[in-house]
Every structure is written in structure tokens, then in C-alpha cells.
Amino acid sequence: MLIKIRKSWELPESEVLSEQSYLGRRDILKSMGIGGLIAAASGMVAPRFAGATTSDPSAHLYPVPRNEAYVGGRPLTPEDVATTYNNFYEFGSHKNIAKAAQALKIRPWTVQIDGLVEKEQTLDVDDLLSRMQLEERVYRHRCVEAWSMVVPWTGFALKDLVKLAAPTSKAKYLVMQTFEDKEVASGQKQFWYPWPYTEGLTLEEATNDLAFMVTGLYGKPLPKQSGAPLRLAVPWKYGFKQIKSIVRFTFTEERPKSFWEELNANEYGFWANVNPEVRHPRWTQATERDLRTGERIPTQMYNGYTDQVADLYKDLGKREILFR
Ligand code: MTE
């Protein structure tokens, strides 16, 4: 039986409230000085959640020095925009999930490392953080829905986690999974989605210098709505690859099927590399809306990271680079 699932990012562009009008509306409210009041009443915009990190035991680790090798190429997206316009289907299939995501308990939090590794292990996230070299990197972030932002992530190189995990020579892929808890994440009661959210990378991708495990944002611990306490940033790929609130890393020989691929492989393939020349069935990928300005700007191949990643895909065809 074919179930029609209505995702916000499946809406044709004409039906979606454009970021321009969304942000424009916020600016007008701000200038009137009543944005906060109306937001609180409507629950539409929730800047007060932007830095809801006071009880995070890792707060003392931030901020950390920025690695200037990673620059955004355009001004940073304001913090209250990046942390109130989110995709996190566990908490709802719309952008305004920041408040609902506060129900997520991020301590204690353990991550399991298993599959084709020398020794399976379960690590406490704070123990993991204490073993990793944290740095800040400014990355562009491009969603397949054709909006984008520029944000300062804090975290550590994913290749350092791969090293810690010590995969065996048979391992070809790294599979990542998000927590599962229907009681706090009501989206997971929607049985037609293939929970838990799952994503995967080849080991070559996972050990590329750009692949980053994110633990913080804007010099503070990562807000829950952004994927606390641990999420992925692979900025040359569409946002749906950048899995949030990870609890499990599994090394496999078989290529995994990711969450969206399982739902619709023609639209959300494994590679998902940003490519302005390959149109998604429902949206052109040639341009994107910058969440800061609301303006449309040209999309760059690999989101502008060609020098760092093109070698990984020299044997793939154009269409495969995006979807398969
Ligand atoms: N991770 C989980 N677990 N659940 C999700 O729904 N959405 C993805 C990705 N990671 C998602 C997820 C999508 S579609 C995007 S664009 C980014 O998270 C959004 O990240 P942001 O909310 O920090 O902008």
C-alpha cells in the first residue's frame, strides 16, 4: 500500500511560506517591539530557546578557538534565526519545533559504537567530549528545500571518532542513528516513518577533513532543537544527511538505507551531494534562499567545497552524485 506522507519540504514552493516573508514578518514585529510577545502567544518564533543551555554540564567547555581554515564566505546567520527555523521530524514536520525539542533529555547520554570494530564500546558523551579536540568552524548549510544558512559549529573531526572506534579492514560504511523515545518525541508516534532517523557515509567521506561532529553552536553547547548533544555536519551534502542527536555509530560492509531514502529513494538518495545542475523532482537546486537576507543566491557545486571533496566522487555520474 502506498501511503502519501505530507512532509513540509514536499510542498511545492508556491505553498510554502517563503523565508523572505517569514523573516520579513519577524523584522516588522521586531521593529514594533512586539515580536517577543506575539511569538510567545503564538509559539511561532521562540528566540528564548536559542540559548537554552544553562543545565548542560559541558557548558564550561565553550567557547573554543575558531579554526580560521573554515570560513562561511558570507555573513553568519543570526543565532535566533538558525535556532528557531529547524527540521527535526521527531518533534514535528514543520520548522517551529524548538519548544517541543526542549523535552529531550540530553544527560545522561551515551553513544554506542558497534559493528565491524576492534571492540564494541559504549561511551558517555561527556567522556567522549573530554577525549576530543574541540574547535569552532564556520560552515555553510544547504537544505534540499533550497534554503541555506552560515553557522559557527563547535565540535571535533569525525575522523577522530572513527580512529577511536578502530573499524576493522572489512568496514566500508559508517551508519549513524538518532535516539528513539516516543514519549518525548511525539513525531515518532507517526508509525509510517522508518524510525529511528538513520544516515550513513562511506568511510572515505567520514574521514574527510570536512566531516565534523557537532557539539556546540554560536560558542555554546548545541541547543536541543539543533541536535544536541551530538550531530553531524557534512556541509557539501544536503541538510537531510546531517543527522541530529546521535546515539549509535555502526560500522558496516553494506551500504545502509537512510531515513529519507527508505521513504522515497528517487528524491533522497544516499550521496545527496549539493549539485546546482541536478534538479530535485520538486525544487530547482540552481539557487537557494539565504535565511539571513531572504535573498536568492546561486548554489555552488558541493556547496562550494569542491576542492575538499570532489576527489571522493570522481567515479560517480552526475545524477548519482546527487541522489543515488
Ligand atoms: N536529524 C534528525 N534526527 N531528524 C530530522 O528530522 N532533519 C534533517 C537534519 N537532521 C533531521 C535531522 C534536515 S532535513 C535538515 S535540513 C537538518 O537536520 C536541519 O538542521 P537545522 O535544524 O539545524 O537547520
Side-chain angles (χ1 to χ4, degrees):
M1 188 178 73
L2 187 68
I3 302 172
K4 178 65 194 151
I5 301 154
R6 197 169 166 83
K7 302 192 288 279
S8 67
W9 60 355
E10 277 191 342
L11 296 177
E13 291 212 272
S14 55
E15 287 181 31
V16 179
L17 173 66
S18 77
E19 281 75 20
Q20 197 152 18
S21 52
Y22 172 86
L23 296 174
R25 211 186 272 183
R26 297 184 51 186
D27 286 347
I28 293 165
L29 294 177
K30 253 188 196 164
S31 69
M32 291 165 71
I34 55 173
L37 266 182
I38 293 181
S42 66
M44 181 183 152
V45 183
R48 68 182 181 283
F49 298 115
T53 54
T54 41
S55 60
D56 191 311
S58 67
H60 65 284
L61 298 175
Y62 303 86
V64 303
R66 181 173 292 179
N67 182 339
E68 298 294 346
Y70 302 96
V71 292
R74 55 185 212 268
L76 288 183
T77 304
E79 180 179 353
D80 70 328
V81 174
T83 56
T84 56
Y85 187 89
N86 302 103
N87 275 332
F88 203 167
Y89 274 64
E90 284 81 346
F91 295 101
S93 50
H94 51 85
K95 299 287 180 285
N96 185 28
I97 53 76
K99 186 175 179 188
Q102 304 314 307
L104 180 63
K105 286 204 170 45
I106 54 167
R107 292 296 189 286
W109 190 277
T110 53
V111 291
Q112 194 178 331
I113 298 178
D114 60 12
L116 300 172
V117 288
E118 301 278 326
K119 190 172 164 273
E120 299 197 337
Q121 39 184 326
T122 301
L123 295 171
D124 175 77
V125 73
D126 292 306
D127 179 32
L128 178 65
L129 281 173
S130 71
R131 292 160 78 170
M132 294 293 154
Q133 180 66 47
L134 294 184
E135 63 183 47
E136 185 176 77
R137 296 184 182 185
V138 176
Y139 274 179
R140 293 180 289 279
H141 173 96
R142 168 66 160 82
C143 179
V144 75
E145 296 167 330
W147 53 265
S148 66
M149 58 184 187
V150 179
V151 292
W153 300 120
T154 301
F156 56 87
L158 178 56
K159 68 178 174 191
D160 291 342
L161 187 139
V162 172
K163 197 169 162 198
L164 180 94
T168 66
S169 57
K170 275 190 159 179
K172 291 199 174 72
Y173 297 93
L174 171 58
V175 186
M176 288 152 275
Q177 283 184 344
T178 295
F179 73 91
E180 251 190 309
D181 185 345
K182 289 189 185 59
E183 295 317 308
V184 296
S186 63
Q188 292 182 335
K189 290 183 180 158
Q190 298 182 306
F191 62 87
W192 53 91
Y193 286 116
W195 308 111
Y197 199 99
T198 301
E199 261 307 340
L201 297 171
T202 63
L203 271 199
E204 291 73 32
E205 290 176 325
T207 52
N208 182 278
D209 284 341
L210 268 184
F212 202 50
M213 264 295 114
V214 174
T215 63
L217 185 57
Y218 295 95
K220 289 174 275 191
L222 195 59
K224 295 177 181 181
Q225 65 271 29
S226 304
L230 204 58
R231 74 167 285 168
L232 179 68
V234 279
W236 70 99
K237 292 182 180 286
Y238 290 113
F240 65 87
K241 293 292 290 184
Q242 318 206 11
I243 179 170
K244 296 178 168 182
S245 304
I246 302 169
V247 293
R248 187 172 179 192
F249 296 88
T250 307
F251 291 81
T252 65
E253 204 172 354
E254 297 289 302
R255 192 168 104 174
K257 247 205 174 144
S258 55
F259 183 82
W260 293 111
E261 192 183 5
E262 187 82 43
L263 284 164
N264 190 345
N266 288 325
E267 300 196 4
Y268 311 104
F270 176 79
W271 297 107
N273 293 322
V274 175
N275 187 338
E277 291 174 26
V278 180
R279 199 188 188 286
H280 181 276
R282 271 172 292 108
W283 310 281
T284 171
Q285 297 299 328
T287 59
E288 63 204 53
R289 270 193 302 268
D290 182 335
L291 281 195
R292 184 181 66 88
T293 60
E295 279 166 14
R296 273 208 172 264
I297 55 174
T299 290
Q300 304 175 67
M301 186 66 202
Y302 298 114
N303 202 17
Y305 296 101
T306 299
D307 289 352
Q308 292 92 328
V309 299
D311 260 9
L312 294 169
Y313 309 108
K314 52 185 185 304
D315 300 329
L316 289 185
K318 221 182 220 181
R319 187 173 163 77
E320 285 171 330
I321 286 176
L322 174 57
F323 293 120
R324 302 279 164 189

